[in-house]
Structures are given as structure tokens and as C-alpha cells.
Amino acid sequence: MMWILLWACADTEIEQDSALGWDAWADGFFSTYCRSCHSADTPDRRGAPSGVDFGTQGEVEALRESICRVVLDEETMPVGGGVVEEDRWLLDRYLGCDWETE
């Protein structure tokens, strides 16, 4: 059932309340992998540029292309890696990156 829902969302704008929406999935992803450095409230950004924050859906959407590039294509973020393959696949679907797994 989950695969059918994900497939259905892949080519359309993902709704806020879908299984792959901001509240249901993406907010947790960015909290887990990104906000330790990329948050306006983070005291030690460990070199993350000021203003490159992922605390809201709007902030993420504004940087969608950069996120696709550095997380999926270049694999330079998060520093040290660690994004599991399933989460990379879901990030691609959430942002519409058009990333191809190997």
C-alpha cells in the first residue's frame, strides 16, 4: 500500500497531509539529518552558512535544487554521510529531484 501511495505522489505536487508530506515525513528527515547545523536556533553551525536553514517547509522548498545537488548528486551533505538509501529515495520523491539510484 505504501509503495502505491509513494508512486502516486512521485509525479505530482505532494500534499501537506500525504504520507510523504512535510508533517508526515520531511520535517523528521531534516530534523534527523540537517538541523544540527542548518537551523536558525543552532548555536554551533559548524561552518553552515548563515541563512541556509531547514526549519520550515518554505526554507526547504526555497533551497530544493541545492539540496538535491548536495545530498543526492554530490553526496557532500550531510558532512560525513549517513543518509540511508531509503531516505535518499524518499527525499528525491519529496523534492522532485529526478535523481536516479545506481
Side-chain angles (χ1 to χ4, degrees), residues 33-101:
Y33 293 110
C34 308
R35 289 192 197 127
S36 63
C37 300
H38 293 279
S39 172
D41 299 331
T42 300
D44 180 7
R45 296 179 65 89
R46 290 171 262 191
S50 180
V52 179
D53 301 316
F54 304 127
T56 68
Q57 184 176 8
E59 289 171 330
V60 167
E61 289 175 0
L63 295 166
R64 184 188 71 75
E65 289 181 20
S66 295
I67 296 166
C68 291
R69 185 183 74 252
V70 300
V71 176
L72 300 177
D73 296 334
E74 297 172 0
E75 298 182 39
T76 56
M77 287 287 145
V79 174
V83 179
V84 297
E85 190 68 25
E86 180 181 356
D87 284 345
R88 291 165 50 83
W89 187 86
L90 291 169
L91 179 66
D92 172 51
R93 297 313 177 268
Y94 175 75
L95 295 176
C97 297
D98 201 27
W99 169 72
E100 295 295 327
T101 60

Side-chain angles (χ1 to χ4, degrees), residues 9 12-24 57 94:
C9 293
T12 62
E13 184 175 329
I14 298 170
E15 298 295 327
Q16 177 86 6
D17 61 349
S18 76
L20 196 56
W22 177 256
D23 292 331
Q57 184 176 8
Y94 175 75

